[in-house]
Amino acid sequence: MLKYRVSFCGFLNMWIPEMILLLFLIFFTSTNALPQGAPTSVCQTMMPFHQGGIPAQPGLSPYSIVTRQHGDKVQVSVGSSLGVRFQGFMLQGRTPAGEILGTFQTSPVTDGHTINCADHGDTVTHSDTKEKDQLDVTWVPPVGYEGPIVFNSTVAQNYNTFWVGIESPTVQVSRRSTSDNFGGDPFYAGCFDTKYCFGAPEGCVQSQNCRAAVVVTSVGGKFVFDMKADRNAAWVGVGLSQDARMGNDSVIECVKTPNGRIEAFMAWTSITPYSSIRLSNPYVGIQLLNASISGDTLYCSVERSSQTTVNDQDFDLTSNTFHVLVASGSSVEANSVGFHDLSREASAQPVSLLSYSSAVPNTPPRRPFLTTPPYFSPEPVTEASTEFDPFYDGCGDTKLCFGTPVNCDRSKNCKAVVAVTVTGDKYDFEMKADRSAAWVGVGLSDDDKMGRDSVIECVKAGNGVETYMSWTGTNPYRADRLSNPRLGIELLNASVIDGVIYCKVRRNVVTNVNGVTFNLVSDVYNILIAAGSSIRDGSVGFHDIGFLASGEARALSDTSEVGAASKLLVRLHGSLMLAAWIGTASLGILLARYYRQTWVGTTMMGKDLWFAWHRVFMVLTWSFTLVAFVLIFVELKAWSAENNPHAILGTITTILCFFQPIGAYFRPHPGTSKRSIFNWAHWLIGNTAHIIAIVTLFFAVTLTKAELPKLMDYILVAYVVVHVISHLLLSVLNCISEKSSDSRVSSFPMKDLTGSGRNSAYADQGMDAPFSTLRKIILGVYILVILLLTIALIIITALAPIETTFETILPSKSMN
Ligand SMILES: *[C@@H]1O[C@H](CO)[C@@H](O)[C@H](O)[C@H]1NC(C)=O
Ligand SMILES: *[C@@H]1O[C@H](CO)[C@@H](O)[C@H](O)[C@H]1NC(C)=O
Ligand SMILES: *[C@@H]1O[C@H](CO)[C@@H](O)[C@H](O)[C@H]1NC(C)=O
């Protein structure tokens, strides 16, 4: 036999399991799609490392990118025209060749943040996994770039379902595309975004109907003031002031001169009398770039130096802030402008003309020109009115509700929905669909696909509603009315109110449709809901408004009370597994590995203390694990459909765990030759099971069904760190104590591998190995920390989804 007499004090035997855990942790945290969004390692591929293995969805994604040019920036919106929400995203501007370019402005991004791929802030990704309807961001091209840009994105509907490489149509970015695709007066392009704009009367910039307005563009230390005034103004002026009143202000005025030209002058305002007096050098610091009169509108563009001294006052546009005054008038005098009889307005707050920011009070919302959101939003105006829709009363309670889009019955804004009420042996199907729907139908199916399903359809007919039975076929997809279209159904009530179709149909418990018997009492069915906007001759058209099939078959009398109960089993499974592997297994392993020579001579029920407790903890681990394993199968009734290694790893853990005590029971007597084989095997299986169990717990956090918050990951990481540090400390203590015992016998944890029981130098003398007090302290701390972590994890698991639970507990906290 191998003689393992070498000093096991090496890191090797002590620390292998912990090393593996640590390596896993490093791997996990570096590749796992953490809740903060995509890591920079996926810059080019944009492929989420969702546990490495999950492939992107093939085919067309329900999401698309819409772009609008806005000044020299591009407004990028990601969303779904079908109203499909998403949790995660990653978005970049690229050349068609794939080079990442430009920067995203972070301030308007509420659901995301930028990361740096090729350059600073060139990629934007989600900050959390809340459901999002739409993402709106502003992208700025790199300075001087001119050419085509494609926005490329990855959008994740949830952890397992995501699309990679969703591209926008190509956008032509020109160096200064001031007004391309810009609906509205180009004069105001860039207002509130890159330029400071102000006009009279107040608020006119948003509506682009100012009587007099100024737009300030600051480029490279130069300030260009574009001014315009309507109503046949003879002059328009802009003043920079220390206060919001006239007086001691530096004014640029554009004036129609008697000879029909337009000139720009510098002037200075005084209050006694109110006047605007031209400077002795009226061209100081300014240069007229352009001017015109078109229709009744006077326009001019004047460049002003960033620094000017006027009447001994310094005007530094780069570093100072000013109140801005605009005015216009209909008359001009010889050397000054007349009264501001057409318009006059002063900004209430001083502003910096250099870097205009939306923080300036009194400014309208950013992007005032985007009046039409590019996507249907799941919260349309109608939601307020559907909020009290009695249709949804009792959903999940007295009736089974199912609608599309997913979970719309909770938010009460389904495009198509069915509610099944069972009273005795009466099965009533109520259906309702979107305003645009011409028909709505519910199918009973033995799978989650269309084909060979029995359908009840309600169809708008004239001013009323008709109901029919039909049978679906594939190839082509269709729903054929039965030859007896009223077979087994009765229309109880129906209405079309405001275009919204509603019907209530009672269906017999047993019907035989096309040779298939449908028994609503004894059988379970997948529910299909669909609605469409068109009707063909004798059949309904395509379900263009919505179609959704329930993931699992269920009894129609089963409202979601059962759903709540089944959550209980999932929660129990999680809590028991956490108690077993974070709690008892960790303690049992620690005791067996380091405490054989502590409390020497103390026994419990005839066994050494370490062994007695090791056995207690491990029996608990074993029982918890097996119960939890059975529970999850009772709940899922099948192998988990989720594409996640949790199920397979958990099964391996359970199998290893199951055999461990059986092996231990039949262990060879100490001293026999087979004893060392047993010891190795026991150690190996136990530690393997523990490592796999911890890994499995990490994967549990990503299961959709578990609804666990990412906070779990951090607690699990904390556990691994505590666990590894404790083992390291105790290993080092053992090394030292063995050294000091003259290395007579390799003691442990493999001391038994040589065949005998307690043969350490100290145990033979009936005394503890050195540092026994320190070891006891470490054990105490370890137990305490493990206990706290286990409790925290179990609380989170039992209350999951914890966010919603807290919202229920603290209903008003989340408002505002
Ligand atoms: C967008 O991303 C997909 C996936 O990484 C890639 O195949 C495609 O070439 C990218 N398009 C551009 C323009 O970079
Ligand atoms: C002057 O203004 C007119 C009309 O606003 C414009 O078409 C023209 O390009 C401008 N010229 C310069 C040099 O900016
Ligand atoms: C029919 O439906 C309407 C509106 O949903 C309701 O007010 C009415 O009471 C129903 N009638 C019957 C007989 O159920």
Side-chain angles (χ1 to χ4, degrees):
M1 265 313 295
L2 291 167
K3 277 278 179 188
Y4 280 97
R5 281 261 173 184
V6 253
S7 168
F8 281 108
C9 182
F11 172 91
L12 215 62
N13 96 44
M14 310 290 190
W15 224 47
I16 288 174
E18 288 67 44
M19 278 296 290
I20 295 173
L21 258 187
L22 209 58
L23 286 176
F24 164 74
L25 193 67
I26 291 164
F27 172 79
F28 183 88
T29 47
S30 62
T31 60
N32 181 29
L34 287 170
Q36 299 89 356
T40 50
S41 56
V42 301
C43 277
Q44 206 61 42
T45 61
M46 302 207 294
M47 181 72 194
F49 274 99
H50 284 177
Q51 309 303 355
I54 306 174
Q57 296 292 312
L60 270 183
S61 95
Y63 305 102
S64 55
I65 307 180
V66 172
T67 57
R68 269 158 310 171
Q69 273 167 298
H70 183 205
D72 49 359
K73 308 184 170 188
V74 183
Q75 169 80 34
V76 189
S77 306
V78 181
S80 162
S81 55
L82 304 170
V84 184
R85 295 177 170 206
F86 56 98
Q87 296 182 341
F89 59 85
M90 179 171 179
L91 176 70
Q92 295 170 341
R94 295 183 177 196
T95 63
E99 190 195 342
I100 305 167
L101 281 184
T103 334
F104 287 95
Q105 293 190 332
T106 38
S107 52
V109 184
T110 45
D111 296 318
H113 66 280
T114 56
I115 54 174
N116 314 330
C117 278
D119 216 329
H120 185 80
D122 56 8
T123 302
V124 60
T125 183
H126 57 278
S127 297
D128 56 49
T129 54
K130 276 201 301 263
E131 297 256 315
K132 301 161 190 55
D133 296 324
Q134 190 179 323
L135 167 77
D136 290 301
V137 285
T138 306
W139 179 86
V140 190
V143 177
Y145 181 79
E146 200 161 14
I149 285 288
V150 176
F151 292 91
N152 208 346
S153 68
T154 287
V155 182
Q157 187 174 350
N158 54 44
Y159 193 82
N160 294 303
T161 315
F162 53 86
W163 286 263
V164 173
I166 305 168
E167 295 183 6
S168 73
T170 307
V171 183
Q172 282 297 332
V173 177
S174 50
R175 213 160 289 171
R176 289 196 67 193
S177 55
T178 34
S179 58
D180 321 347
N181 297 345
F182 174 77
D185 187 343
F187 180 86
Y188 297 100
C191 283
F192 306 110
D193 203 339
T194 53
K195 301 174 180 180
Y196 176 73
C197 301
F198 188 68
E202 206 183 334
C204 67
V205 173
Q206 292 96 301
S207 42
Q208 305 191 0
N209 60 350
C210 297
R211 278 186 208 164
V214 60
V215 173
V216 186
T217 315
S218 61
V219 206
K222 302 221 160 127
F223 291 81
V224 175
F225 291 74
D226 286 295
M227 288 177 256
K228 81 174 188 177
D230 64 6
R231 305 199 174 193
N232 293 312
W235 63 271
V236 54
V238 52
L240 302 180
S241 178
Q242 300 303 324
D243 52 35
R245 285 186 306 278
M246 195 169 154
N248 292 334
D249 317 315
S250 170
V251 173
I252 308 169
E253 51 192 29
C254 284
V255 179
K256 260 192 231 175
T257 56
N259 60 19
R261 296 189 33 226
I262 299 164
E263 293 217 44
F265 305 110
M266 285 285 266
W268 184 255
T269 60
S270 76
I271 39 174
T272 45
Y274 275 107
S275 57
S276 174
I277 302 152
R278 257 171 230 162
L279 304 189
S280 50
N281 172 5
Y283 306 110
V284 62
I286 58 164
Q287 190 189 348
L288 183 65
L289 299 178
N290 201 352
S292 66
I293 296 173
S294 72
D296 67 349
T297 304
L298 168 69
Y299 162 81
C300 71
S301 178
V302 180
E303 186 183 292
R304 179 178 173 145
S305 312
S306 59
Q307 304 228 10
T308 34
T309 306
V310 184
N311 283 8
D312 294 324
Q313 280 196 32
D314 285 321
F315 287 83
D316 183 344
L317 309 192
T318 311
S319 42
N320 296 337
T321 60
F322 301 97
H323 290 264
V324 174
L325 280 54
V326 293
S328 62
S330 58
S331 64
V332 189
E333 288 159 29
N335 260 322
S336 87
V337 296
F339 183 62
H340 44 69
D341 55 347
L342 293 178
S343 68
R344 176 193 183 272
E345 198 69 54
S347 72
Q349 303 290 330
V351 293
S352 160
L353 301 176
L354 177 66
S355 54
Y356 174 67
S357 100
S358 66
V360 179
N362 250 344
T363 55
R366 290 183 78 89
R367 306 194 301 274
F369 309 112
L370 311 175
T371 43
T372 41
Y375 296 113
F376 162 77
S377 145
E379 276 104 6
V381 267
T382 53
E383 210 205 20
S385 58
T386 57
E387 193 67 47
F388 307 103
D389 190 338
F391 186 95
Y392 298 97
D393 287 352
C395 277
D397 187 15
T398 55
K399 56 191 189 188
L400 181 162
C401 297
F402 184 67
T404 177
V406 176
N407 291 336
C408 65
D409 52 314
R410 283 192 225 154
S411 47
K412 305 188 179 183
N413 59 353
C414 295
K415 292 182 171 182
V417 60
V418 59
V420 188
T421 316
V422 184
T423 22
D425 58 354
K426 298 193 171 59
Y427 284 73
D428 294 341
F429 294 78
E430 285 177 281
M431 283 176 260
K432 189 173 148 152
D434 215 61
R435 208 163 296 237
S436 51
W439 61 270
V440 53
V442 58
L444 301 181
S445 181
D446 55 2
D447 58 20
D448 56 6
K449 288 172 215 44
M450 198 169 152
R452 296 179 55 78
D453 318 314
S454 171
V455 173
I456 308 171
E457 53 190 44
C458 287
V459 180
K460 280 183 189 167
N463 294 328
V465 176
E466 292 282 1
T467 185
Y468 306 104
M469 286 283 267
S470 60
W471 182 250
T472 60
T474 54
N475 209 5
Y477 280 103
R478 61 191 191 276
D480 302 322
R481 283 201 191 134
L482 305 187
S483 50
N484 171 10
R486 299 282 152 78
L487 176 79
I489 54 169
E490 181 191 351
L491 186 63
L492 297 183
N493 195 354
S495 63
V496 178
I497 297 170
D498 272 354
V500 174
I501 181 172
Y502 163 83
C503 69
K504 182 172 185 177
V505 180
R506 181 161 293 172
R507 179 176 174 144
N508 290 353
V509 168
V510 181
T511 33
N512 190 303
V513 185
N514 282 12
V516 180
T517 303
F518 285 81
N519 185 327
L520 307 190
V521 173
S522 61
D523 295 336
V524 293
Y525 295 99
N526 287 71
I527 300 174
L528 276 48
I529 179 81
S533 59
S534 64
I535 305 170
R536 294 190 206 121
D537 213 18
S539 110
V540 298
F542 181 65
H543 46 68
D544 53 347
I545 291 178
F547 172 80
L548 192 68
S550 68
E552 53 195 34
R554 64 193 299 178
L556 296 181
S557 54
D558 166 3
T559 64
S560 72
E561 284 301 311
V562 179
S566 65
K567 273 193 177 176
L568 176 72
L569 298 189
V570 176
R571 307 277 173 267
L572 264 176
H573 166 84
S575 304
L576 285 172
M577 285 301 197
L578 285 165
W581 295 99
I582 301 289
T584 51
S586 304
L587 294 173
I589 287 177
L590 199 81
L591 281 176
R593 194 113 55 100
Y594 305 104
Y595 291 86
R596 297 182 182 215
Q597 288 143 57
T598 313
W599 291 290
V600 172
T602 317
T603 58
M604 193 169 96
M605 293 183 292
K607 298 285 180 187
D608 284 356
L609 209 57
W610 74 265
F611 179 75
W613 280 106
H614 173 75
R615 197 165 55 180
V616 167
F617 284 135
M618 288 321 193
V619 165
L620 284 176
T621 303
W622 189 86
S623 327
F624 289 163
T625 304
L626 291 191
V627 172
F629 189 73
V630 169
L631 284 181
I632 204 66
F633 272 91
V634 168
E635 157 62 16
L636 298 181
K637 294 180 193 77
W639 194 253
S640 168
E642 287 192 46
N643 189 351
N644 187 303
H646 179 86
I648 179 81
L649 292 177
T651 307
I652 295 173
T653 306
T654 308
I655 291 171
L656 291 178
C657 169
F658 179 77
F659 287 111
Q660 184 77 333
I662 297 175
Y665 184 81
F666 293 108
R667 66 185 174 276
H669 203 266
T672 59
S673 61
K674 295 206 176 71
R675 176 69 177 205
S676 70
I677 300 174
F678 161 78
N679 283 326
W680 270 110
H682 193 71
W683 177 87
L684 185 69
I685 295 175
N687 280 292
T688 309
H690 191 228
I691 291 171
I692 299 178
I694 303 300
V695 172
T696 311
L697 291 176
F698 271 97
F699 281 117
V701 182
T702 61
L703 286 168
T704 322
K705 192 164 186 96
E707 302 176 279
L708 293 171
K710 282 283 178 174
L711 172 66
M712 283 283 281
D713 273 344
Y714 299 117
I715 303 182
L716 287 172
V717 168
Y719 161 77
V720 174
V721 170
V722 167
H723 181 77
V724 169
I725 290 178
S726 310
H727 276 258
L728 186 62
L729 269 178
L730 289 164
S731 294
V732 169
L733 279 188
N734 270 309
C735 286
I736 301 172
S737 89
E738 253 178 49
K739 275 255 170 65
S740 63
S741 80
D742 205 13
S743 317
R744 264 181 294 172
V745 188
S746 82
S747 72
F748 107 89
M750 290 305 137
K751 70 177 170 64
D752 277 354
L753 298 184
T754 50
S756 64
R758 266 195 285 121
N759 64 350
S760 109
Y762 298 102
D764 288 348
Q765 299 158 23
M767 57 186 270
D768 282 8
F771 309 116
S772 132
T773 314
L774 188 52
R775 268 202 306 280
K776 287 174 190 168
I777 292 171
I778 293 175
L779 181 65
V781 173
Y782 186 82
I783 290 177
L784 190 71
V785 174
I786 291 294
L787 193 67
L788 291 177
L789 291 177
T790 310
I791 289 173
L793 288 167
I794 289 179
I795 287 176
I796 292 173
T797 308
L799 293 183
I802 199 157
E803 299 92 336
T804 359
T805 310
F806 277 137
E807 271 166 30
T808 329
I809 297 170
L810 311 162
S812 58
K813 258 287 170 65
S814 59
M815 303 309 292
N816 296 326

